[in-house]
Structures are given as C-alpha cells and as structure tokens.
Amino acid sequence: MSASPPTQPVSSVLAALDLLQITIAGSVLHVRLNRPAKRNALSDPLIQQLHTAFVNLPEGTRAAVISGEGQHFCAGLDLSELVERDIHSGVLHSRMWHAAFDAIQFGSVPVVAALHGAVVGGGLELASACHIRVADTTAYYGLPEGQRGIFVGGGGSARIPRLMGVARMTDLMMTGRVFDAHEGLAVGLSQYVVEEGQATAKALALAARIAQNAPMSNFAVMHALPRIADQSQSEGLFTESLMAAVAESTPEAQSRLRAFLEGRAGKVVKGS
Ligand code: 1HE
C-alpha cells in the first residue's frame, strides 16, 4: 500500500476559517466542522465559512471530504439563532444555506461525507449535498424539524427524497423516527457503513481514488446526473448525448482509452 501524501499548508483564505479545520494532502482537501462543544451545530458563520471554503478550493484539489470533530457529525441548525427571525430574514437565511450547499454539490470537485454520531436536521441536509456518504456504525439520522415546529430550509426537501424517497422523509419528519447506520445504508442515505471510528479513513481513501478520475468524468457525474434525473426521459437522453460527447473528446479521455487498448490500464476487478 502506498503511503499517504504529506499534508500541505492551505491558503490564507482557508486558514482564516476558524469554525473549520482544513487540511490538504495530495489533491484531497479535508474539511472538518470544528464546533464540537456545540455538536457542530450550523450557525450562520459556519454556513458562511463552508461557502467560502468550497468557492476557494486550492488549485489542484481533485476531491474533498467533510467530517465533524467530536462525538457527532452535526446537530443541524444552530437553534439558538432561530428564536427571533422575521419572515424576510427567514427566507434569506434559507437561501444562504442553499448557496453554501450548492457550492458543495455543484462545485468543482466531488465531496465525500464521513458520518458518525448525530447526522440530524441540517446535518443531514449538509450530508445530502455531498456526492457520497460513508457512515460508521455510530451514525444515526433524524429530521427533528417537525418536533421543533419548523421545516427543512437547507435544501433537504429537494435532496433527501432523492436519496430515500418522499415517504421515508415524511415518516422521519412527522414521527421523529431515527434511522441507525444500517437502516441509513438500507434506505440509501449512505453508500457505505464501516466500523466505529473508520468513516474518515474510508472517506479519504474513496476521495483519493475519485481524485484519480479524469476531472471531466467527475464533473459530468456531479453536474449532469442530478440534472438528467430532473428532466424528462427525452430531454435527459439528449443531455446525456451532449455530455458524453464533451467527455469523450477531452485529451485525457482519449489517452485513457488508448492506454486500455494498449494493455496499459487496469481491468475492472470483482470486489474492488
Ligand atoms: C446545540 C444544538 C443545536 C446541540 N443548536 N445548540 N437540531 C436538533 O434539533 C438537534 C438538537 N441536538 C440534539 O438533539 C443533541 O444535542 C445531540 C443528539 C445532537 C447531541 O447530544 P449530546 O448529549 O451529545 O449533546 P448536548 O448536551 O445535547 O449538547 C451539547 C451542547 O451543544 C449544548 O450546549 P451547552 O451550552 O449547554 O453545552 C447544546 O445546547 C448544544 N447544541 N445541538 C444549538 N442544534 C436550515 S433548516 C435546518 C433545520 C434543523 O436543522 S432543525 C434540527 C435542529
């Protein structure tokens, strides 16, 4: 097994984000939510810092991982900020979350979420904006908005049903039901479940592998797949043809295809 690449310094813009701890090793950026005393509750400054981080990725970043410091991934919206908000500022607040999470989902690199402990409310909305989710066995998922008298506002109503369906999201929001890590895997909230304490290592390993893909292939998966899912079949097939032609015509695709035909590229291997 090859050794992990050494951690390099990040730019001053990223280093100044005090609610995040950001490191880069090779071409993989690791963003840790860093408010463990408040269970990484998503305050306005934390949402703004996530936005800043994902629109200022260091040059050469090819994939990213988001994890949470402390015992939980994320306790969702910082409820202490919600108490006295009027309608207009409520809409703007939700739009601020949308901007930050769109910068993750529709940014320039794939993002893997490493989940443990509570992944609740806005924490699940954040996880659902990532492209792949890895949970350890301590992870659990809830949408306590119903109990708090509010609704999702961080994109959850658009993203979470695409992972587990409207009926399951309705159940979690209305009844306060909580899924454990294995239930989360079964319903599609995560793609992997690993032993306690192993989610970040697995997420970093996946991100390192993703980083080896041609950037245009990763871009197509991130940007075309969810849009095609929103389109009619006819429009989706047309979008697919355009995206396929763009990806195939890049020099990197051509050299990778040549490498396979000349026996210089790996085969598809069972169990990898
Ligand atoms: C918080 C928050 C928070 C913890 N906002 N301060 N989210 C929720 O409804 C989840 C609320 N939180 C919890 O259910 C629990 O805190 C946890 C299961 C996540 C963790 O439990 P535990 O026992 O490890 O921690 P704790 O003792 O409850 O909390 C430690 C501290 O974090 C405590 O503050 P302290 O000053 O008394 O030490 C808590 O008050 C604080 N804390 N969670 C503010 N969420 C865009 S719309 C999104 C809508 C939502 O996300 S609604 C869901 C909100």
Side-chain angles (χ1 to χ4, degrees), residues 165-238:
V166 172
R168 291 194 183 94
M169 181 162 176
T170 303
D171 185 13
L172 262 59
M173 290 198 74
M174 282 188 172
T175 68
R177 183 173 180 174
V178 171
F179 284 146
D180 67 22
H182 291 287
E183 289 169 323
L185 179 73
V187 301
L189 286 179
S190 78
Q191 284 67 54
Y192 300 84
V193 172
V194 294
E195 292 300 310
E196 179 173 352
Q198 294 304 308
T200 297
K202 177 72 177 177
L204 286 168
L206 290 170
R209 194 167 162 173
I210 292 166
Q212 291 169 16
N213 295 337
M216 185 53 87
S217 291
N218 282 339
F219 179 88
V221 174
M222 291 168 60
H223 288 265
L225 272 191
R227 290 185 169 90
I228 291 170
D230 286 342
Q231 294 175 345
S232 67
Q233 179 161 324
S234 163
E235 288 167 328
L237 292 176
F238 187 69

Side-chain angles (χ1 to χ4, degrees), residues 29-251:
L29 191 78
H30 185 182
V31 176
R32 300 171 181 85
L33 308 177
N34 197 18
R35 279 189 93 199
K38 296 290 178 184
R39 308 311 186 240
N40 298 319
L42 296 166
S43 58
D44 287 2
L46 181 44
I47 292 291
Q48 284 157 353
Q49 291 192 16
L50 277 169
H51 191 200
T52 301
F54 280 89
V55 297
N56 288 283
L57 294 179
E59 189 141 352
T61 305
R62 303 274 291 254
V65 168
I66 298 180
S67 64
E69 288 297 287
Q71 292 162 1
H72 302 280
F73 174 69
C74 177
L77 172 70
D78 188 322
L79 294 167
S80 68
E81 289 184 347
L82 191 69
V83 182
E84 285 177 22
R85 187 174 284 147
D86 65 21
I87 290 177
H88 186 225
S89 59
V91 172
L92 295 180
H93 179 261
S94 170
R95 297 301 291 160
M96 179 180 79
W97 280 52
H98 291 170
F101 292 0
D102 270 4
I104 294 170
Q105 183 180 4
F106 297 116
S108 55
V109 302
V111 183
V112 184
L115 308 175
H116 73 295
V119 184
V120 300
L124 181 51
E125 295 184 279
L126 169 59
S128 70
C130 299
H131 302 95
I132 296 177
R133 284 152 294 278
V134 179
D136 83 7
T137 49
T138 69
Y140 60 94
Y141 308 93
L143 291 167
E145 284 84 348
Q147 288 81 65
R148 308 282 177 238
I150 57 175
F151 188 60
V152 283
S157 62
R159 293 192 178 98
I160 297 169
R162 284 183 167 78
L163 301 178
M164 66 172 179
V166 172
R168 291 194 183 94
M169 181 162 176
T170 303
D171 185 13
L172 262 59
M173 290 198 74
M174 282 188 172
T175 68
R177 183 173 180 174
V178 171
F179 284 146
D180 67 22
H182 291 287
E183 289 169 323
L185 179 73
V187 301
L189 286 179
S190 78
Q191 284 67 54
Y192 300 84
V193 172
V194 294
E195 292 300 310
E196 179 173 352
Q198 294 304 308
T200 297
K202 177 72 177 177
L204 286 168
L206 290 170
R209 194 167 162 173
I210 292 166
Q212 291 169 16
N213 295 337
M216 185 53 87
S217 291
N218 282 339
F219 179 88
V221 174
M222 291 168 60
H223 288 265
L225 272 191
R227 290 185 169 90
I228 291 170
D230 286 342
Q231 294 175 345
S232 67
Q233 179 161 324
S234 163
E235 288 167 328
L237 292 176
F238 187 69
T239 306
E240 179 187 272
S241 298
L242 299 179
M243 192 70 250
V246 170
E248 280 159 25
S249 65
T250 57

Side-chain angles (χ1 to χ4, degrees), residues 256-271:
R256 284 174 182 242
L257 294 172
R258 244 191 324 273
F260 177 77
L261 294 174
E262 292 166 4
R264 291 182 284 110
K267 296 185 186 183
V268 177
V269 180
K270 205 159 68 173

